[in-house]
């Protein structure tokens, strides 16, 4: 459920100034969110009880053909595991969002969204009109409302459920339940889209996703001396490409 | 097996062709250490296309080799790897682009030819475009993930004459960029031609 206006929200984390909130919404199991965030906006996604799974994509708000590129995100940063300080890169050599805080450490860049067929296999049903909707169809609904369609769904990320890779390339799911949050900073005007649905590798027979909360507030655009911006030459150039585009 | 098509893709060039259901496509790394970037589209409905993430989940493993079903965004097999004497191919590293080259190698590399240039040009020949580009397969490329998550694009495990063969589960538009990258070892710093043959 969304709180309107956002600055009247209760259950706000102590270190967030509730008066500054521009978005406060709780997503129960299977629900989805999609929202334009201006450059500099901070959005904190909270896994309240430790068993949410935030399946996530992001597009440029006004040029949605520029969008999250998971392959560039892992390749340019030389790492398949997301965490604090990492960038979400677009397919145009720019940074869409930065991960400014992360208390979870369990995320996934490899497996993508749950789907109608993966949910049907595990839960017997996975349609939007069922009680166990899948993340890919949630993405599609959200994008259709922004004038987009199937071909605008890029490979996606999963927050709060981890997947690590064995030496032989095998996947290892980490579904440990632990309340945590991830906080992202919009580095351009972006459209974030996410669904709180069980991870495609979640082995439990029951459809389980505990509540996910989103809190957003406006902040300043990233400064030249920002530590994430300056963490690597690749990051510096991703921010330079953003600056160049915006000038 | 009757040969129905035989073509050598020049170094740095794009290529596309419909491989019909039941036909087999063989890609031969003629001179060795040549990355072949590849995306698949359903020939009848190209909104259904290759999904790296579906493929990884379906086999519970990152690496593509014999037996791998190359899965679509609709969760259906498009092609199956039926022969492979390399042992391992990548599907997480994606394609080089002019834009990502500026991040990885510096702003001076912006105008070097890149796989995404090949992909979008070739997709343009079929009425498709940039929004149709998704995470691709990198045949003959080895991208292991270390325990700390570190990715390596390590020197190829391919060699002259090594090949991979894909049997089409249905009519599939195969789009290839014969990778022009010269800033890392994926092509041995020297892009070379590859041969594609189709048999039925």
């Amino acid at each position: 459920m969304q709180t309107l206006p956002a600055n009247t929200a209760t259950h706000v984390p102590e270190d967030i100034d509730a008066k500054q909130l521009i978005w406060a919404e709780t997503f129960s199991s299977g629900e989805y969110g999609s929202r334009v965030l201006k450059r500099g906006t901070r959005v904190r996604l909270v896994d309240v009880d430790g068993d949410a799974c935030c399946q996530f994509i992001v597009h440029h708000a006004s040029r949605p053909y520029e969008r999250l590129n998971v392959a560039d995100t892992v390749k340019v940063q030389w790492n398949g595991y997301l965490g604090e300080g990492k960038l979400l890169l677009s397919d145009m050599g720019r940074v869409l969002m930065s991960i400014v805080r992360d208390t979870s450490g369990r995320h996934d860049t490899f497996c993508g969204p749950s789907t109608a067929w993966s949910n049907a296999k595990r839960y017997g049903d996975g349609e939007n009109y069922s009680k166990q909707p899948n993340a890919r169809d949630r993405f599609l609904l959200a994008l259709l409302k922004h004038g987009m369609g199937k071909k605008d769904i890029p490979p996606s990320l999963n927050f709060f459920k981890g997947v690590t890779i064995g030496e032989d390339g095998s996947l290892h799911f980490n579904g440990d339940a632990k309340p945590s949050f991830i906080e992202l900073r919009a580095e351009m005007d972006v459209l974030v889209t996410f669904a709180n649905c069980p991870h495609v590798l979640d082995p439990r027979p029951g459809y389980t996703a505990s509540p996910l909360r989103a809190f957003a507030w406006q902040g300043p655009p990233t400064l030249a001396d920002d530590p994430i911006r300056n963490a690597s030459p690749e990051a510096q150039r991703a921010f330079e490409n953003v600056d160049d585009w915006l000038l | 097996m009757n040969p129905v098509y035989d073509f050598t893709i020049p170094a740095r060039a794009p290529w596309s062709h419909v491989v019909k259901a039941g036909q087999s496509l063989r890609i031969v790394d003629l001179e060795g250490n040549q990355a072949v970037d590849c995306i698949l589209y359903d020939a009848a409905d190209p909104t259904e296309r290759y999904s790296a993430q579906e493929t990884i989940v379906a086999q519970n493993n990152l690496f593509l080799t014999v037996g791998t079903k190359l899965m679509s965004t609709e969760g259906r097999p498009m092609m199956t790897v039926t022969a492979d004497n390399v042992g391992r191919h990548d599907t997480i590293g994606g394609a080089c682009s002019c834009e990502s080259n500026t991040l990885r190698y510096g702003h001076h590399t912006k105008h070097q030819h890149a796989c995404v240039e090949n992909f979008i040009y070739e997709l343009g020949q079929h009425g498709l475009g940039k929004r149709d580009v998704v995470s691709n397969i990198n045949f003959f490329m080895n991208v292991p993930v270390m325990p700390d998550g570190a990715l390596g694009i390590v020197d190829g495990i391919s060699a002259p004459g090594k090949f991979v063969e894909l049997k089409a589960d249905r009519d599939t538009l195969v789009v290839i960029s014969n990778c022009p990258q010269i800033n890392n070892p994926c092509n041995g710093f020297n892009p070379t031609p590859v041969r594609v043959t189709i048999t039925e």
Side-chain angles (χ1 to χ4, degrees):
Chain A
M1 178 175 169
Q2 184 170 11
T3 303
L4 294 168
N7 59 13
T8 62
T10 54
H11 308 298
V12 180
E14 282 179 7
D15 60 330
I16 293 177
D17 181 359
K19 293 188 197 66
Q20 301 299 316
L21 286 176
I22 57 172
W23 185 22
E25 189 164 359
T26 302
F27 301 88
S28 299
S29 136
E31 295 180 348
Y32 71 99
S34 185
R35 189 173 177 109
V36 171
L37 302 173
K38 285 196 162 68
R39 185 185 189 207
T41 304
R42 273 67 168 169
V43 58
R44 185 181 297 188
L45 300 168
V46 183
D47 180 0
V48 183
D49 299 320
D51 210 359
C53 179
C54 179
Q55 311 202 24
F56 185 93
I57 53 178
V58 53
H59 294 71
H60 188 281
S62 58
R63 303 185 308 273
Y65 47 85
E66 178 170 1
R67 62 196 189 193
L68 174 69
N69 186 309
V70 171
D72 283 356
T73 293
V74 301
K75 176 173 62 181
V76 170
Q77 300 181 96
W78 297 102
N79 204 295
Y81 302 156
L82 293 176
E84 203 162 286
K86 289 281 186 353
L87 312 178
L88 306 187
L89 295 173
S90 82
D91 52 12
M92 296 295 282
R94 292 184 276 260
V95 50
L96 288 159
M97 303 188 89
S98 302
I99 301 175
V100 290
R101 296 183 66 188
D102 173 32
T103 66
S104 165
R106 291 161 297 135
H107 309 299
D108 165 33
T109 63
F110 304 107
C111 292
S114 61
T115 57
W117 48 95
S118 70
N119 280 22
K121 196 169 154 191
R122 185 159 284 132
Y123 313 118
D125 196 356
E127 304 294 343
N128 280 315
Y129 51 81
S130 74
K131 288 184 174 160
Q132 44 265 331
N134 71 85
R136 181 178 163 81
D137 281 337
R138 294 325 225 174
F139 292 163
L140 182 57
L141 280 182
L143 296 183
L144 285 165
K145 290 178 183 176
H146 291 272
M148 292 184 267
K150 268 188 183 181
K151 60 168 63 176
D152 298 295
I153 305 176
S156 60
L157 303 172
N158 295 306
F159 298 140
F160 308 124
K161 295 294 178 198
V163 174
T164 54
I165 304 299
E167 202 174 330
D168 58 353
S170 55
L171 310 181
H172 301 274
F173 176 69
N174 178 357
D176 291 351
K178 181 186 79 169
S180 63
F181 68 83
I182 187 167
E183 192 173 302
L184 302 159
R185 180 175 62 196
E187 305 295 359
M188 297 192 285
D189 294 352
V190 296
L191 172 69
V192 294
T193 300
F194 55 84
N196 183 21
C197 298
H199 190 278
V200 67
L201 293 186
D202 193 325
R204 292 174 289 184
Y207 184 94
T208 308
S210 63
L212 172 74
R213 288 204 177 114
F215 300 99
W217 62 99
Q218 190 63 48
T222 301
L223 299 170
D225 62 353
D226 181 78
I228 293 176
R229 177 182 173 127
N230 293 290
S232 69
E234 290 89 348
Q236 285 173 334
R237 290 193 286 263
F239 278 91
E240 284 167 4
N241 284 344
V242 170
D243 292 347
D244 178 57
W245 184 259
L246 292 171
L247 283 174
Chain B
M1 300 290 275
N2 297 318
V4 294
Y5 181 89
D6 189 346
F7 184 71
T8 297
I9 308 174
R12 299 160 45 84
W15 173 86
S16 65
H17 200 86
V18 172
V19 181
K20 296 201 169 118
Q23 292 182 336
S24 287
L25 170 70
R26 179 178 288 211
I27 307 168
V28 185
D29 184 2
L30 292 173
E31 298 183 32
N33 268 354
Q34 177 57 46
V36 174
D37 291 46
C38 178
I39 313 182
L40 312 176
Y41 299 83
D42 184 285
D45 174 13
T47 64
E48 179 171 359
R49 68 278 311 268
Y50 175 69
S51 167
Q53 295 184 324
E54 284 291 319
T55 300
I56 289 166
V57 167
Q59 65 173 10
N60 205 46
N61 195 291
L62 290 189
F63 304 129
L64 314 183
T65 188
V66 172
T68 295
K69 290 188 179 305
L70 303 174
M71 303 296 286
S72 78
T73 47
E74 305 293 332
R76 292 188 283 239
M78 306 186 84
M79 302 183 95
T80 303
V81 182
T82 49
D84 169 28
N85 58 11
V86 179
R88 165 185 291 196
H89 306 268
D90 166 67
T91 196
I92 64 167
C96 63
S97 66
C98 297
E99 293 78 14
S100 70
N101 279 350
T102 71
L103 304 188
R104 300 189 71 200
Y105 310 113
H107 294 302
H108 66 284
T109 60
K110 180 178 173 183
H111 296 290
Q112 292 178 0
H113 191 51
C115 282
V116 171
E117 307 283 301
N118 276 338
F119 276 145
I120 59 176
Y121 178 84
E122 198 64 21
L123 288 168
Q125 310 308 309
H126 298 276
L128 302 169
K130 181 182 175 303
R131 290 158 68 211
D132 299 290
V133 176
V134 289
S135 287
N136 55 285
I137 302 160
N138 290 303
F139 289 117
F140 310 117
M141 208 165 108
N142 181 21
V143 183
V145 178
M146 306 303 167
D148 63 354
L151 252 61
I153 293 182
V154 298
D155 205 351
I157 48 179
S158 187
K162 296 251 184 183
F163 63 87
V164 61
E165 195 168 274
L166 316 170
K167 186 170 184 182
D169 293 290
R170 53 213 160 100
D171 295 359
T172 302
L173 171 66
V174 180
V175 179
I176 277 176
S177 166
N178 193 10
C179 181
Q181 182 60 258
I182 51 170
N183 297 289
N184 77 47
C186 72
N187 305 318
F189 301 97
N190 176 35
T192 50
V194 296
R195 184 178 177 193
V196 282
T197 57
I198 299 173
T199 54
E200 60 181 17

